[in-house]
Amino acid sequence: RKEWTTNVQPTYDRRLTCVEKEKEALTAQLTQAHKDISSLKSVRDKDIELLTSELDKTYKSKVETDAELKDVKRQLHNALRNLDEMALDGGKMRCDLEGAMSDFTKEKQFYHKEI
């Protein structure tokens, strides 16, 4: 039994040393993986914050743009209504002017006849 222990013990010791080194390497890899995961979570959280902020800005900009568009449409509608009123007034003025010119032409002809 002493011979077996003398021959086998160094093999077990070497194997134990290898296993301990593997364990240390795996522990280091696990620690690095945890650090990497934490880093990725931090970056992800920052990305989410940035995207949320950009989404808020975009939404506010859309609301402002929609309000401006509504105001421009209202102004355009008012301008078109004013143009329609001006066209009606212009047509009425033309009719009035034509009537006045007709009266003037009649009076002119009347006075030419009398002269």
Side-chain angles (χ1 to χ4, degrees), residues 68-78:
E68 288 175 8
L69 179 60
K70 185 176 179 179
D71 186 51
V72 167
K73 284 181 178 179
R74 182 188 54 76
Q75 290 177 10
L76 180 59
H77 178 73
N78 288 341

Side-chain angles (χ1 to χ4, degrees), residues 4-113:
W4 181 80
T5 305
T6 307
N7 290 335
V8 175
Q9 186 67 37
T11 305
Y12 283 129
D13 288 343
R14 283 192 306 273
R15 181 71 180 133
L16 180 62
T17 303
C18 284
V19 168
E20 287 174 347
K21 286 182 181 178
E22 283 182 38
K23 178 186 171 194
E24 288 175 12
L26 289 172
T27 301
Q29 287 178 348
L30 181 61
T31 302
Q32 185 60 45
H34 282 292
K35 288 178 183 176
D36 292 345
I37 288 169
S38 278
S39 176
L40 289 172
K41 283 181 179 179
S42 174
V43 168
R44 183 198 67 195
D45 291 345
K46 288 178 184 175
D47 286 347
I48 288 172
E49 286 177 26
L50 177 65
L51 289 171
T52 301
S53 173
E54 288 299 316
L55 181 62
D56 288 344
K57 288 177 189 175
T58 302
Y59 180 74
K60 287 176 184 174
S61 177
K62 180 192 177 300
V63 168
E64 289 172 2
T65 302
D66 287 347
E68 288 175 8
L69 179 60
K70 185 176 179 179
D71 186 51
V72 167
K73 284 181 178 179
R74 182 188 54 76
Q75 290 177 10
L76 180 59
H77 178 73
N78 288 341
L80 289 172
R81 190 179 67 228
N82 289 340
L83 282 174
D84 287 343
E85 289 173 5
M86 289 170 63
L88 289 174
D89 288 346
K92 184 178 181 288
M93 290 168 71
R94 189 183 81 222
C95 286
D96 291 347
L97 182 60
E98 287 174 351
M101 287 301 293
S102 174
D103 291 345
F104 175 74
T105 304
K106 288 178 186 174
E107 285 184 34
K108 184 178 156 189
Q109 290 172 355
F110 175 75
Y111 288 120
H112 275 297
K113 289 181 184 176

